[in-house]
Amino acid sequence: MIKAHGVCKRFGHNEVLKDISLEVDEGQVVVILGPSGSGKSTLLRCLNGLETPNKGEILVDGIPAHGHHNIHRIRQVTGMVFQQFNLFPHKTVLENVSLAPVHVRGLDPGQARAMAMELLTKVGLPEKADEYPSKLSGGQQQRVAIARALAMNPKVMLFDEPTSALDPELISEVLDVMKGLAKDGMTMVVVTHEMGFAREVADKVVFMDNGEIIDQAPTEQFFNSPGHERTRQFFSKILRR
């Protein structure tokens, strides 16, 4: 579903991604771990065309991630959920979810509203359809953001630290929705620091540091016998908290 080979990305003289190669199979959940500033978010942004690599090749569902037309096609098959919820404050929850299917996919407004209600039910918020984002908790807003991404019927979901802006007691409600998506067979790439989620849901874990992938393995192997000293150092600090 996703193939990245030799991907490099610079911002000025700062090389943020260094020769990144990664494959994600259909239906696979891949979790990307690593310290802040290691390039995790930039990699996600390259995968859906928000950033253009300086070098290397990315294919998403067989579509090359270069050229305006291809980027548009890639964004039709990928959904992205950010740290911040980015909901339209002047639109209701239902309108936030149904807007893009009407204007981008050309769906009939009635069909789009019906689909939006199904998705709000899926994320556990059908009763909030007529509320405005300001009336929702952070966890509820993030679940609406997930529903909005799903409304485009993506083949791949990308999550960029979706729980990092939430109070600790609200994190589980978002992770539960993500676990449900994984159970339904959604292909997912998730940047997160939630180790419990990674252990429970991921098929493969990737560890990045200083713009490089320095370790990747099936989840059980990754956690039980990490193959790189830097990974072990990271675990020792994270698990002491």
Side-chain angles (χ1 to χ4, degrees), residues 13-185:
H13 296 294
N14 185 20
E15 193 174 16
V16 181
L17 297 179
K18 307 171 184 176
D19 196 27
I20 295 290
S21 294
L22 175 70
E23 291 194 4
V24 181
D25 294 332
E26 183 174 359
Q28 193 173 42
V29 178
V30 173
V31 166
I32 303 177
L33 302 176
S36 297
S38 58
K40 306 182 300 294
S41 295
T42 300
L43 175 58
L44 281 196
R45 292 171 67 85
C46 287
L47 293 181
N48 84 334
L50 286 171
E51 300 288 353
T52 303
N54 299 103
K55 183 181 175 184
E57 182 181 35
I58 294 173
L59 296 172
V60 180
D61 195 28
I63 306 166
H66 56 77
H68 177 75
H69 178 65
N70 284 350
I71 295 300
H72 179 69
R73 290 170 61 202
I74 282 177
R75 288 179 185 163
Q76 289 181 321
V77 299
T78 59
M80 187 147 178
V81 178
F82 299 88
Q83 296 178 34
Q84 301 300 326
F85 324 122
N86 298 319
L87 300 176
F88 296 116
H90 61 293
K91 300 286 187 181
T92 66
V93 164
L94 187 67
E95 289 169 334
N96 265 279
V97 178
S98 61
L99 198 63
V102 172
H103 292 284
V104 179
R105 291 176 56 196
L107 226 61
D108 172 80
Q111 286 181 300
R113 285 193 294 271
M115 181 185 66
M117 281 305 302
E118 289 180 11
L119 290 171
L120 288 173
T121 299
K122 188 181 186 75
V123 301
L125 293 171
E127 75 285 357
K128 301 294 185 181
D130 296 322
E131 298 276 8
Y132 287 89
S134 62
K135 299 293 185 182
L136 306 183
S137 70
Q140 290 170 336
Q141 290 188 60
Q142 191 63 294
R143 284 189 279 160
V144 174
I146 293 172
R148 182 179 59 181
L150 291 172
M152 293 301 290
N153 196 27
K155 294 184 178 181
V156 180
M157 286 286 286
L158 308 175
F159 293 87
D160 186 8
E161 300 195 33
T163 60
S164 66
L166 301 179
D167 292 334
E169 60 189 12
L170 302 177
I171 288 173
S172 62
E173 63 188 51
V174 174
L175 293 180
D176 286 344
V177 170
M178 294 168 64
K179 290 174 187 176
L181 293 178
K183 192 174 181 179
D184 291 342

